[in-house]
Amino acid sequence: MQSPTSDQETSLAEIRAAFAAALRPDPDRNVSQWADEHRVLSRVSAGEPGRWRTDRTPYLREIMDCLSPSSPYSRVVFAKPAQIGGSEVLLNFLGYIIQCAAGPTLLVEPTVELAKRFSKQRVASLIEGTPALAERVSDPRERDSGNTIQAKDFPGGVLILTGANSAVGLRSMPARYLLLDEIDAYPASASSGADGVDEGDPVDLAIARTSTFANKKIAMVSTPTVEGASRIDAAYRESDQRKFAVPCPYCDVFQILRWAQVKWPAGKPAEAYLECERCHGHIEDHHKPAMLARGEWRAEAEGDGDTAGFWLNGLYSPWTTWSQ
């Protein structure tokens, strides 16, 4: 019987390491803790580069933590406005997966081209800028690194990025983790083959890839589009429908921020303020950080018991003034 070659020994060692990683129990810490400890925001992709601080956007903490293995929910839905941190939730979750709870992962953007762009601009920045991840994902310039634009290997798992318009990409592999970004921009049906045969709703096709995993996690993030035809709105309605209540700085009554509360003197929209729904106090822009810090998610429905749903509008953004 021939002795194994050095290459064979290396392959066996890699297989054993991957198998051991797959058997390792999930960690106790959650996604937001991982992000605060390890995530570094790049100057290339972030308006505020440097260490990630969940306290900057406290409304994201509970959303991220519902994606942690310790959470009882298998599906997390986030209906959001633009530029409030939805993509950062997915990126922090992805970083957590790579370092702490490895497994097969599928990330879906509306199109294959957008998936490639997200990989180049956001995923590459996440990995390169975060030392804890850079040591787990090989440099794409290395030969046989397992790191391409649409596929990234890491110990115990792999990340596949594809578009909702590609039925082939959506059938690429079973997935324990499914990250669905901007699902309201997905086409009505995924297509395959040169003749573009329609193969059905891309969200349903992608979710089918998680069916063999009892410990699956599905993240659905999107800005809602047309009422009645919105995928994210339909998923949110199946959830426990959480909204973020914040306290008035004057009377301390918790309330959901709504557009009707924004007021301004006639002809002076630059002087806009938020009016408390209870005491009618004038809430200024400088009050917002403290209000967000004390805010809490409150469920408004029972839901299906398996889906945690979160809804925000643009008034909650720490980067946006009432007048804007």
Side-chain angles (χ1 to χ4, degrees):
M1 183 175 179
Q2 292 182 338
S3 300
T5 66
S6 59
D7 286 345
Q8 289 173 328
E9 289 177 342
T10 300
S11 296
L12 287 171
E14 291 175 345
I15 292 171
R16 291 191 188 101
F19 186 69
L23 292 177
R24 190 179 302 125
D26 290 326
D28 292 332
R29 65 177 168 174
N30 52 40
V31 175
S32 68
Q33 289 172 331
W34 176 89
D36 285 329
E37 290 174 15
H38 296 285
R39 178 82 191 276
V40 179
L41 299 171
S42 166
R43 293 184 180 276
V44 176
S45 59
E48 296 180 359
R51 282 282 180 184
W52 169 270
R53 294 180 298 118
T54 303
D55 286 344
R56 184 74 170 108
T57 50
Y59 47 79
L60 297 181
R61 186 182 305 278
E62 190 168 326
I63 302 173
M64 291 190 287
D65 291 348
C66 282
L67 290 167
S68 304
S70 59
S71 167
Y73 302 99
S74 67
R75 185 170 64 151
V76 176
V77 175
F78 185 18
K80 64 171 190 68
Q83 303 301 316
I84 205 159
S87 293
E88 302 306 331
V89 168
L90 296 181
L91 290 166
N92 287 338
F93 182 37
L94 179 56
Y96 178 91
I97 292 168
I98 294 173
Q99 186 182 4
C100 302
T105 305
L106 181 63
L107 191 155
V108 185
E109 293 288 336
T111 67
V112 172
E113 287 305 311
L114 286 174
K116 292 179 180 179
R117 185 185 306 171
F118 189 83
S119 177
K120 292 177 182 178
Q121 296 179 351
R122 306 303 302 275
V123 176
S125 177
L126 166 73
I127 295 170
E128 293 167 7
T130 306
L133 304 181
E135 64 185 25
R136 286 169 169 76
V137 181
S138 300
D139 190 316
R141 292 167 294 187
E142 295 178 4
R143 187 176 180 181
D144 300 325
S145 68
N147 182 350
T148 66
I149 294 175
Q150 288 186 256
K152 300 186 183 297
D153 293 336
F154 50 91
V158 62
L159 167 65
I160 300 296
L161 298 100
T162 191
N165 59 337
S166 171
V168 173
L170 296 174
R171 293 198 308 264
S172 60
M173 66 170 192
R176 175 184 174 184
Y177 303 110
L178 178 60
L179 287 66
L180 302 174
D181 192 21
E182 292 300 344
I183 63 173
D184 271 19
Y186 287 8
S189 179
S191 61
S192 65
D195 55 356
V197 176
D198 290 341
E199 297 216 11
D201 184 271
V203 173
D204 293 340
L205 292 176
I207 290 177
R209 310 314 300 163
T210 69
S211 60
T212 58
F213 290 89
N215 57 353
K216 64 188 175 185
K217 288 287 182 179
I218 301 171
M220 305 174 72
V221 175
S222 188
T223 301
T225 52
V226 180
E227 186 173 2
S230 168
R231 286 188 174 98
I232 197 70
D233 184 59
Y236 177 74
R237 291 178 185 277
E238 295 173 353
S239 75
D240 51 15
Q241 299 182 26
R242 305 181 199 193
K243 289 186 170 66
F244 200 64
V246 294
C248 170
Y250 302 111
C251 68
D252 211 38
V253 168
F254 278 72
Q255 53 205 276
I256 308 301
L257 302 185
R258 305 184 189 281
W259 172 244
Q261 294 173 259
V262 179
K263 313 288 184 180
W264 60 88
K268 298 180 179 180
E271 298 179 19
Y273 57 90
L274 191 85
E275 183 179 83
C276 173
E277 64 182 14
R278 178 64 63 85
C279 72
H280 304 292
H282 290 198
I283 302 172
E284 306 294 343
D285 292 312
H286 67 84
H287 290 123
K288 190 189 291 190
M291 294 168 68
L292 293 177
R294 292 183 57 204
E296 52 189 51
W297 287 101
R298 295 180 174 180
E300 297 185 350
E302 185 174 348
D304 60 11
D306 195 42
T307 305
F310 301 87
W311 174 95
L312 280 179
N313 62 42
L315 296 174
Y316 291 90
S317 172
W319 304 286
T320 304
T321 65
W322 308 132
S323 63
Q324 290 169 337

